[in-house]
Amino acid sequence: MIIGPYINGSAVLIGGIVGALLSSRLPERIRTSMPLIFGAASMCMGIVLVVKVSHMPVMVLSVILGALLGELCYLEKGIGKLGSKARGLVEMFVSSGEQDKESQEQFLQSYVAIIVLFCASGTGIFGSMHEGMTGDTSVLIAKSFLDLFTAAIFATSLGFAVAVVAVPQLIIQLLLAYGAVFILPLTTPAMQADFSAVGGVLMFATGFRICGIKIFPVANMLPALVLAMPISSLWTSFF
């Protein structure tokens, strides 16, 4: 039974509501320091998955080719454009009487950023597919803890609109999880381990990005998840 996406969606919903209710009561030092903790946790989750790799060359080759493919297709830029199209929907939550043009534009920019963060993150996509293939909900549950507090922090400035992101996030993760169920019969334990390791690399890169240490183009690395199992299968066939 697929439960991870529901837990993750609930975390964003609850975090968004609680953060909006707290609003400016949350100290600035917490808003600044907590993303660093989120990033460190994401990197640790990535390390745990990477050490389980079955074929190290498969992981390296998948990440390199996947990132190269994503860069050639301008994948991250395309995802950003999709997020920008959501501005029309977001404007329903913004009252022009309460916010001037500059603050409204800042609101929309921030809201587009969290749509991409929650709905198109490497951790969410990998976690959903991982649960669909293995039944392991640990990745999405761990991500839910991060998203709960991240949504709360964003909602202190963006309001209840943050909670609405839970809807598209849930839909995307359910589609990925149930789609992965049909892939499961075609996989082997080694292929699943290599897939998990590639997902771990993306989670590690995401951690660097959240901490602000280095802005890895994580969205451009997403094709690596698609390439991981085919490359793993070919590797075991020839080596």
Side-chain angles (χ1 to χ4, degrees):
M1 181 179 177
I2 303 296
I3 61 172
Y6 295 104
I7 296 175
N8 200 182
S10 299
V12 174
L13 179 65
I14 294 171
I17 294 174
V18 172
L21 293 175
L22 289 176
S23 188
S24 59
R25 299 176 185 174
L26 195 67
E28 182 63 30
R29 65 180 185 277
I30 294 180
R31 303 187 196 185
T32 304
S33 63
M34 290 309 295
L36 297 176
I37 307 301
F38 301 157
S42 180
M43 285 188 278
C44 291
M45 290 163 59
I47 292 172
V48 170
L49 292 173
V50 168
V51 297
K52 296 180 180 180
V53 66
S54 180
H55 305 102
M56 184 71 70
V58 170
M59 180 189 72
V60 174
L61 185 60
S62 298
V63 171
I64 293 174
L65 292 180
L68 180 61
L69 181 60
E71 290 287 351
L72 292 174
C73 297
Y74 297 100
L75 188 57
E76 185 161 291
K77 186 177 180 180
I79 292 176
K81 288 182 178 179
L82 288 177
S84 297
K85 291 181 179 179
R87 291 184 178 185
L89 296 176
V90 180
E91 287 174 349
M92 294 188 298
F93 299 98
V94 185
S95 173
S96 58
E98 296 178 358
Q99 296 181 324
D100 56 27
K101 185 176 181 180
E102 183 178 353
S103 61
Q104 181 174 341
E105 180 66 19
Q106 184 179 4
F107 173 93
L108 296 175
Q109 292 285 359
S110 299
Y111 197 71
V112 168
I114 67 168
I115 289 174
V116 176
L117 175 65
F118 289 137
C119 299
S121 70
T123 307
I125 291 174
F126 162 70
S128 302
M129 297 179 67
H130 182 69
E131 180 177 358
M133 288 189 294
T134 66
D136 181 12
T137 62
S138 61
V139 174
L140 283 183
I141 290 178
K143 181 179 182 295
S144 298
F145 289 125
L146 296 177
D147 286 355
L148 175 67
F149 293 100
T150 302
I153 289 177
F154 274 115
T156 57
S157 58
L158 302 180
F160 291 101
V162 174
V164 181
V165 181
V167 176
Q169 182 195 51
L170 176 62
I171 294 173
I172 292 171
Q173 290 187 354
L174 284 175
L175 290 174
L176 289 169
Y178 282 106
V181 170
F182 296 100
I183 301 175
L184 179 60
L186 305 176
T187 66
T188 64
M191 292 168 65
Q192 294 176 21
D194 291 335
F195 173 80
S196 296
V198 172
V201 174
L202 267 66
M203 293 171 68
F204 194 81
T206 301
F208 270 90
R209 185 164 184 160
I210 294 174
C211 289
I213 299 173
K214 183 67 177 179
I215 307 301
F216 280 91
V218 179
N220 285 341
M221 299 168 67
L222 291 177
L225 294 173
V226 179
L227 297 176
M229 286 191 286
I231 292 177
S232 179
S233 179
L234 290 173
W235 183 269
T236 54
S237 298
F238 290 99
F239 297 98

